[in-house]
Amino acid sequence: MRVGVIGAGAISEIYLTNMINRFDNLEVVAVAARHIERAQRRAEQFALRACTVDEMMADPSIEMVVVLTPVGTHYSLIRQALLAGKHVYTEKTITDDLAGALELARLADERGLYLGCAPDTFLGAALQTARAAIDDGLLGDVHSFAISANRNNDVLLSLFAFLREPGAGVLRDYGVYYLTALTSLLGPVARVAGVIGTPYKTHVNILPGPDYGKVMDTPNESQVSAILKMRNGVTGTLHIDTDSKMQDEAYFTIYGTKGILYLTDPNQFGGEVSFHPNIGTDWRKPAAPVRLWNFASYADNSRGVGPSEMAAAIEEGRPCRASKEMAVHVLEVLDAILAGGEEGQFVDVKSVFERPAPLCRRDAGIVNIGHIAFEMKNEAEMLRFYGETLGMKPLFTLTVQDLANTYAARGQTDRIEELAPELEKDPAAPWIRYMKVSDRQFVELFFDRGRVREELLDRENVYGYRKYNLEVENIEALRDRVVSAGIKLREDVHLTIDGAVEFAVLDPDGNEVQFTQYGERSKLPLKAVHPCVPVSTAKGVTQIALQIQDAANMRGFYLRGLGLNKVFTLTYGDLADGLEAGGSADAEVINGLRQKAAQPWIDYIEMAPHQYIELFYTDGQEKREERDLSKYYGYQHICLEVSDIHAAWDAVTFNGIVPEREIILGSDGAYQFWLRDPDGNRIEIMSYSDRALQLS
């Protein structure tokens, strides 16, 4: 969309920088300003065309006008642009007059044009994270909020002359950020009451320059205390004091039955959002606060995302998120607070709007659980178990020289130097054996290469990886085969709480392997066959279980960070029912589970048909944290296959995840990059090239 910008002041620089360099659906072509020489300077800075406002309006190639001028000019400029047939995005507030804003909204509708308005900071990572927490029910039932903010008018009024103009008090200039953030999270306001203060009607200019020491008339409000009731019944307070500290000390909290959400300054796109749970594993002890990961884009100064999002909405034929309806509503709320302060009473807010949809996350495009990797201790027995007993096919072996090549591709010269003795001794020594489960699923078995490691045999007491499941066609026959091979059963064939039939063993290194046969009683959504063609006794890897520590962020990582879907949940109530039916637990344990019956016990996150990551909740259990698995035998990582490695990279980084390394082409002919989830589990994202050994 071809864009013209009106306004060449301070805020225009970041808008132009982002709209030109960051948002590829915008093509900025011209800049205009009241003083043409300012437009010329900005135009020269960004290689644009400088023009007058009238010239911009007369240019039929310009489809959108972005207004970055003081609020007193908004009405006339927006009206002129709408009458010229152009979409408009304006800086806050939409106008300095509610009647004018309503007129512009009607004009935009009549002309079939879009009108959007800042602030667009609610599209930033921090407030999108807060929105996800509310929408996901992390807070339970939300019932109140509290906002308190500060500024320093001695500096601000000396620095910005427009703040001394009528209608540019703290509510419209700064409170608009909090009200836009609040309504984007909780919806429209129903009624307000306020107390307004203007204790200092003049200020002395304190900044060096020709106006230093001059007395300035400063008639606008500088202190605000307000009560707001939202249309959904939530109530709260808004307090702003600009006769105070210059650096913002934002206090923005939302209260719910499950805890408190602490937000950041909504004048910023990023920042910390933390959740303070109501009750932890023991009600007598305070639960630890949880800093929420930002599984969202735009954590830095992203001004310009509003026009970009509006351009996307125009193309897609849907409402834009920074809508005129929300801007009009926020302006009416600000005016109502001022009116309530003058009249000493509650004021009803008439306008409404649809709460904007959260920003869409991108799907990483995961198509398969590619492999699961183990560091072997008992190498001969492990190879025999996976090969002879389970029928997996040895596909290929990577060597120490291949490991050196991988380090070289990563630029890890120090690791190559560490590897020098092994390379000198035997570069063909085995590093990894690939065992083929199905046509696109593998078990990676790492040789220890003489490096002694520790054993981690009590994984049920450790956060992170617990066990994995192989889907089979005839579970009784496989059980008999395993037993005849001399393998001791950890659990015999039994019906599970999720409706599958399973049995379990330990491999020679003590890793738990479960075998699963789905049937008519399965509660999982098994609408399609397993996507991989089996070449062993198993159809493929069907489940990988993780015992989670940071529940909120782990859910966010897999659902919002990777773009996966939760397809099924078992609750603690389901667990209690299963234990009671099986007679395997005493009444005290079952009663304890029933106290949290509605809480999730296992979330099933679908990777592909018949493939799941199981997130096991550990409420009430204290487990150890072992994030560095490099010193242990056993499980090391999982690999998730994607169809396009570069699209996957773009998706996860857009969703706020920072990969450990850049994409490389591994010595096996597969592209890869690495992630860590919030509990520290390592994940390899992989796609195959035409010469990938896995496809041979």
Side-chain angles (χ1 to χ4, degrees), residues 10 21 53 100 125 149 184 216 222 304 439 469 566 581 602 639 654 682 692:
N21 301 318
V53 171
S184 76
M216 306 174 291
S222 61
D439 63 335
N469 295 46
K566 181 182 73 173
I602 307 173
C639 169
F654 180 85
R682 295 187 74 221

Side-chain angles (χ1 to χ4, degrees), residues 369 467 469-472 495-502 514-530 540-545 565-571 574 601-616:
I369 296 175
K467 51 87 178 178
N469 295 46
L470 293 168
E471 183 180 354
V472 300
L495 181 67
T496 65
I497 295 173
D498 63 15
V501 179
E502 292 182 355
Q514 290 188 350
F515 302 90
T516 300
Q517 181 176 332
Y518 299 114
E520 294 180 356
R521 287 188 286 184
S522 175
K523 299 177 182 179
L524 298 179
L526 302 169
K527 297 179 181 178
V529 298
H530 196 285
V541 177
T542 184
Q543 297 173 18
I544 296 174
N565 295 311
K566 181 182 73 173
V567 294
F568 184 65
T569 295
L570 287 174
T571 66
D574 295 322
W601 168 43
I602 307 173
D603 278 335
Y604 291 80
I605 312 297
E606 188 176 54
M607 302 284 142
H610 290 237
Q611 297 182 23
Y612 309 93
I613 294 289
E614 296 176 296
L615 300 183
F616 274 74

Side-chain angles (χ1 to χ4, degrees), residues 643-659:
S643 54
D644 185 331
I645 196 75
H646 297 285
W649 174 281
D650 290 344
V652 300
T653 54
F654 180 85
N655 295 342
I657 298 176
V658 180

